[in-house]
Amino acid sequence: MPVSRRSFIHAVGAAGGYTAAFTAMQGLGLLAPSTAFAGAPPDLAKGGGGKGAKVVILGAGVSGMAAAWELGKAGYDCTILEARARTGGRVWTVRRGDRIEMTDGSRQVCEFDEGQYMNAGAARLPSHHQIVLGYCRELGVELEVEVNTSRSALLLNPDANGGKPIRMRTAINDTRGHVSELLAKAINTGALDADLTADDKQRMVAFLKTYGDLSPDLFYKGSQRAGLRIEPGAGDERATPYDPISLKALLDEDLWNGVLFEETIDMQATMFQPKGGMDAIPHAFAKALGPKIIKRQCEVRQIRKTEKGVRIAYRDAVAGKDLAIEADYCISTIPLPVLAKIDADFSPAYKAAIARTPYRDSIKIAWQAPRFWEGPKYQIYGGLSFVKGPTNMVWYPSYGLHTKTGVILGAYTGGPAAVQLAKLPRAEQIEHTRKVIEAMHPGCGHLLEKPLQVQWAAVPHTLGIGVGWASDDEPDYRLLGQPDGPIHFAGEYLSHVGAWQEGAIRAAHRTIVMLDAQHRKGQPVTAQRII
Amino acid sequence: MPVSRRSFIHAVGAAGGYTAAFTAMQGLGLLAPSTAFAGAPPDLAKGGGGKGAKVVILGAGVSGMAAAWELGKAGYDCTILEARARTGGRVWTVRRGDRIEMTDGSRQVCEFDEGQYMNAGAARLPSHHQIVLGYCRELGVELEVEVNTSRSALLLNPDANGGKPIRMRTAINDTRGHVSELLAKAINTGALDADLTADDKQRMVAFLKTYGDLSPDLFYKGSQRAGLRIEPGAGDERATPYDPISLKALLDEDLWNGVLFEETIDMQATMFQPKGGMDAIPHAFAKALGPKIIKRQCEVRQIRKTEKGVRIAYRDAVAGKDLAIEADYCISTIPLPVLAKIDADFSPAYKAAIARTPYRDSIKIAWQAPRFWEGPKYQIYGGLSFVKGPTNMVWYPSYGLHTKTGVILGAYTGGPAAVQLAKLPRAEQIEHTRKVIEAMHPGCGHLLEKPLQVQWAAVPHTLGIGVGWASDDEPDYRLLGQPDGPIHFAGEYLSHVGAWQEGAIRAAHRTIVMLDAQHRKGQPVTAQRII
């Protein structure tokens, strides 16, 4: 009986899951691999494999675990040493009963209701991060939409618009209306005759009329797109837009970034989150790798090059013993500020680079509350509101939409704003976010409860949310992107997708290709041979 | 022990679900009801109630069921006659084994896999449709995000851009870039000096630089927002944008509507769909009302006014009997083209209005397929692609993202385009959509299988997707918005939210308020007393 291509694909799909079917489709030429997917996971097994070679990986974040996962496919014998009891590193979901311990000795205990959570670190997956999405497929991580954009969300600058928030739909569409009106006027006065042909001018003005929702005489007089003062209903209830906000009010610099946030390539719809928390991704890796590969609560104490490769001494907190592991190669995914404090015999240039590379801070503050932002008054279901000041934004939950309770972020802030916020005592930071939410949603501030604050510069074993390279062409970036003898490096800091899981994993992929090449040549690449 | 406001709300919530908690919050002044929520369901019970009064409602769509639900709360004794075996009317979800029978005698049987479905009619709920969202809360309908916008979706005009699709992110951001460049130029040449102060000019140009992602010398040279030719990765893989598409190519009229679709007030994020299919809403109403109120497979044959009220004769297809029901009042939610064919003693003006009111057609064509639109090549997860021509769009499923199989719409079309498409035999319409999808996604057309077509003008008991009033102030709209003696009317056609569940329900709310007022006066309002 002949088997059609389609039934072949379905049979493969049933047996091997999505990835198998996908690969089969590609094999049959049904899905040409895109050039944009140049970063697909490397197939090291093709090169001959790593049978017999031992690799010790420092850190069970997604970078280290993806490295172990792919190296394992090629026969390498991997061990991951992880300082914490949990895997995931900066992919950290906090739930009821979890403890947040900081380097200052402080401790917070999560009191959220069962089912509520806070993604303290990584919290979204863009559509174009195909490597991490591919692992979600391969490892069976169930995804749901992360609502990154809501036209009902708010923009608040206490110094503008009389301190009243502006709805996102209003800012976006009133701005476009005003811009269209001005450009149509300029075109019709002949200001751009040198740039546009008569035909172009005509088409351009017709376009601007649609683009800005202009009146027949080319004025912007408001638009239903910008929101309705009266909702349409039955009888005589006709949809009635608001009067437009003046261009002057919209030219507020602090609004622009909020308005354009959704156009940032990493923030564009469709965005995802794993169901139940972002840690579903590290959990899936950890389950696939198993406890034989991942050694938890094993904190690295010493890194040494040996004649054969490397020797890593560590403290096994469960066994209560100081132990050591020998391997042919090492991959360190430990964040640089943490690595800098570990006794290691890196070459001097590496040591210096590790010591001086700055990391950025980031603060997230979360509250549990009844969903006052949903429902008739605000109609906000997921998405982000933006506010001028160090708390930066209010982020509404994308899970459990239309249920009773949710976890809302009162702050998610980085860079200089995080530094500014961090100057306040934690309790004051938290109360500040309550005030911001109260300003956005008057009368609702006191509904917030069970706050949690995570400051990444103060999280042990991490000490920062991501690397802070001054440019995308740092000499130290190039240096650490090459192995120091048998010791390789990986992590978000060795990618151009900093502070994203995609970057961490792409760096891991690049590193294991180098490691595999080194292994197949039969000798360690020395630091001196770096290009 | 004193009870805090918060614990009171939580206790109410635990006992009575979200609506109870919400109402409690409103009662405590924690959530001020918004003026935008003027359309909240009427509380007829306050007026004295309808005990002893009998109402027969024609049609178990959401309009008729919402009317019965609210009238029931006020003590009215309601019976709904529904011609079909199912409830929901134009809220119709088609699954494996379901039959699609048309007025031309044709029959299609749905062969989708288990778990796959097509929302043949209503398919999305915007955030501002708070009445229907409120019923979802009240009746426990679980919602998920309907992805109405994807920046990876495509725009295709076979006559433009060499017949190649343009990505949504490219069209949106290249257009904004070009517009910003032109306006900045016009401002700097003084063309708008009469409109803008020197300070405004400066702020405006600074704004346009951010708005359009312009170069320091104010040219638009492409933007990462518009998409990446090279994805950022590790090592030397730096994010590299595409060259911008020329303004000339973007000025294609057929692109504009697609680009601006997401700004239509009813289409703005966040959008919802019930989990498992839109018919979860009518099913929830039907479950709440129960079979004592909803009589299925009972087709209305005759409508008569009587001395006491109304007498409705109908055919009970289950019992195989011709039966009749007497009531004090009637609410007809039957679509007008269907109602026009029923033997009824409406007053002449009503009869004429019912007979002449046009309804619009709409065609949806769905296919089951492996999700070739997801994954590395297209990165499309939900959302809509737009195409010039009678099929209008390709709509990707929002449920089951990242699974193996999905149901994709090859056409969702209305108005003149639907009329054009309907001229082809069904099989040709279906093949036409395959060609459109093939043009969008070359090499994938043959992966489509198990097609279904629903043409609403040919669906028995409906005969159209919605009313086609020529203006929003039709005399017939005003007439039918008042009762013809004891006979009232409701449905989307009596709202300014045509062809939406929100409109159907708001019309029902308005109608039951009129009916209740009529009942409390103790005498039927006659057609002669219409304002």
Side-chain angles (χ1 to χ4, degrees), chain A residues 184-441:
Chain A
K185 190 168 206 172
I187 289 171
N188 280 339
T189 57
L192 296 164
D193 282 5
D195 301 275
L196 302 168
T197 66
D199 178 53
D200 284 347
K201 279 174 63 176
Q202 200 184 358
R203 289 174 68 212
M204 190 71 198
V205 169
F207 160 74
L208 289 168
K209 222 168 121 182
T210 303
Y211 193 58
D213 203 7
L214 305 183
S215 62
D217 53 350
L218 301 177
F219 286 100
Y220 180 65
K221 298 174 177 174
S223 167
Q224 288 196 15
R225 297 173 188 166
L228 298 174
R229 187 166 56 78
I230 300 171
E231 286 285 333
D236 284 330
E237 296 169 323
R238 283 182 185 76
T240 309
Y242 289 101
D243 290 334
I245 292 188
S246 76
L247 184 57
K248 231 181 178 60
L250 292 169
L251 283 187
D252 176 359
E253 191 173 355
D254 295 294
L255 291 180
W256 305 345
N257 290 326
V259 172
L260 292 164
F261 174 79
E262 67 174 25
E263 301 299 350
T264 313
I265 187 72
D266 293 326
M267 296 298 165
Q268 292 180 359
T270 310
M271 304 279 293
F272 292 104
Q273 62 186 19
K275 282 191 186 169
M278 189 58 85
D279 61 0
I281 294 176
H283 288 178
F285 269 119
K287 193 181 164 193
L289 291 165
K292 268 196 67 177
I293 291 175
I294 304 176
K295 308 289 179 203
R296 301 179 192 221
Q297 293 181 265
C298 290
E299 191 176 345
V300 174
R301 293 288 167 87
Q302 193 187 58
I303 299 169
R304 287 287 181 272
K305 295 171 194 157
T306 64
E307 204 153 319
K308 191 183 161 286
V310 294
R311 182 180 186 277
I312 310 294
Y314 60 95
R315 175 71 185 174
D316 184 330
V318 178
K321 283 181 186 165
D322 291 314
L323 300 170
I325 185 169
E326 305 250 350
D328 300 293
Y329 308 95
C330 173
I331 301 174
S332 170
T333 70
I334 296 175
L336 298 182
V338 179
L339 188 60
K341 293 180 188 166
I342 294 173
D343 169 16
D345 63 351
F346 298 127
S347 310
Y350 284 84
K351 207 158 202 143
I354 290 164
R356 74 185 156 220
T357 300
Y359 265 49
R360 291 176 292 111
D361 194 6
S362 174
I363 295 173
K364 270 188 185 172
I365 294 172
W367 297 89
Q368 181 175 305
R371 293 177 180 250
F372 53 79
W373 54 90
E374 300 188 351
K377 184 160 184 188
Y378 292 107
Q379 305 176 8
I380 298 174
Y381 302 92
L384 298 89
S385 288
F386 295 88
V387 61
K388 184 179 179 177
T391 64
N392 197 26
M393 62 177 73
V394 174
W395 192 349
Y396 309 93
S398 292
Y399 67 87
L401 294 172
H402 236 232
T403 57
K404 255 193 335 189
T405 307
V407 169
I408 184 172
L409 289 192
Y412 174 35
T413 193
V419 173
Q420 195 190 329
L421 190 62
K423 284 179 185 157
L424 297 176
R426 180 171 302 117
E428 284 181 37
Q429 294 177 31
I430 288 170
E431 277 312 305
H432 186 71
T433 67
R434 190 202 291 276
K435 277 181 206 142
V436 165
I437 293 174
E438 171 69 21
M440 288 259 187
H441 302 282

Side-chain angles (χ1 to χ4, degrees), chain B residues 54 67 82 95 161 166 216 242 277 304 315 403 451:
Chain B
K54 190 154 177 50
E82 168 55 49
R95 300 181 183 80
N161 196 41
I166 298 173
Y242 289 101
R304 287 287 181 271
R315 175 72 184 171
T403 58

Side-chain angles (χ1 to χ4, degrees), chain A residues 5-6 10 13-14 18 22 30-32 34 36-37 127-128 130 133 136-137 143 145 147 149-151 169 172-173 175-176 179 182-183 185-186 191-192 195 200 203-204 206-207 210-211 224-225 227-228 231-238 247-248 251-252 256 260 262-263 265 268-270 272 370-372 375-377 379 381 401-404 444 446-449 472-473 477-478 494-497 506-507 510, chain B residues 5-6 10 13-14 18 22 25 30-32 34 36-37 127-128 130 133 136-137 143 145 147 149-151 169 172-173 175-176 179 182-183 185-186 191-192 195 200 203-204 206-207 210-211 224-225 227-228 231-238 247-248 251-252 256 260 262-263 265 268-270 272 371-372 375-377 379 381 401-404 443 446-449 472-473 477-478 494-497 506-507 510:
Chain A
R5 290 209 291 184
R6 199 144 56 201
H10 280 174
Y18 186 91
F22 201 85
L30 301 181
L31 292 180
S34 155
F37 202 51
S127 292
H128 71 119
Q130 283 291 321
L133 291 177
C136 290
R137 250 189 329 251
L143 300 179
V145 175
V147 180
T149 296
S150 160
R151 283 285 181 273
R169 61 169 58 86
I172 289 173
N173 289 293
T175 300
R176 182 165 32 217
V179 164
L182 284 173
L183 184 53
K185 190 168 206 172
L192 296 164
D195 301 275
D200 284 347
R203 289 174 68 212
M204 190 71 198
F207 160 74
T210 303
Y211 193 58
Q224 288 196 15
R225 297 173 188 166
L228 298 174
E231 286 285 333
D236 284 330
E237 296 169 323
R238 283 182 185 76
L247 184 57
K248 231 181 178 60
L251 283 187
D252 176 359
W256 305 345
L260 292 164
E262 67 174 25
E263 301 299 350
I265 187 72
Q268 292 180 359
T270 310
F272 292 104
R371 293 177 180 250
F372 53 79
K377 184 160 184 188
Q379 305 176 8
Y381 302 92
L401 294 172
H402 236 232
T403 57
K404 255 193 335 189
C444 299
H446 69 280
L447 295 171
L448 303 165
E449 56 178 11
D472 70 347
D473 199 22
Y477 172 86
R478 295 185 163 274
L494 290 178
S495 79
H496 295 288
V497 205
R506 290 192 68 144
R510 177 176 174 278
Chain B
R5 290 209 292 183
R6 199 142 61 201
H10 280 174
Y18 186 90
F22 201 84
M25 283 199 283
L30 301 179
L31 292 178
S34 157
F37 203 49
S127 292
H128 70 119
Q130 284 289 324
L133 291 176
C136 290
R137 252 190 325 251
L143 300 179
V145 175
V147 180
T149 295
S150 159
R151 283 286 180 273
R169 62 168 57 85
I172 288 172
N173 289 294
T175 299
R176 182 166 32 218
V179 163
L182 284 173
L183 185 52
K185 191 169 208 171
L192 296 164
D195 301 274
D200 283 348
R203 289 174 68 210
M204 190 72 196
F207 161 73
T210 302
Y211 192 58
Q224 289 195 16
R225 297 173 188 167
L228 299 173
E231 285 285 332
D236 283 331
E237 296 168 324
R238 282 182 187 75
L247 184 57
K248 233 183 177 60
L251 283 187
D252 176 0
W256 305 344
L260 292 164
E262 67 175 22
E263 301 298 349
I265 187 73
Q268 292 179 359
T270 309
F272 292 104
R371 294 178 180 249
F372 53 80
K377 185 163 184 185
Q379 304 175 8
Y381 301 92
L401 294 173
H402 236 233
T403 58
K404 252 192 339 188
H446 70 279
L447 296 171
L448 303 164
E449 56 178 10
D472 70 348
D473 199 21
Y477 172 86
R478 294 185 163 275
L494 289 178
S495 80
H496 294 289
V497 205
R506 290 192 69 142
R510 178 177 174 276

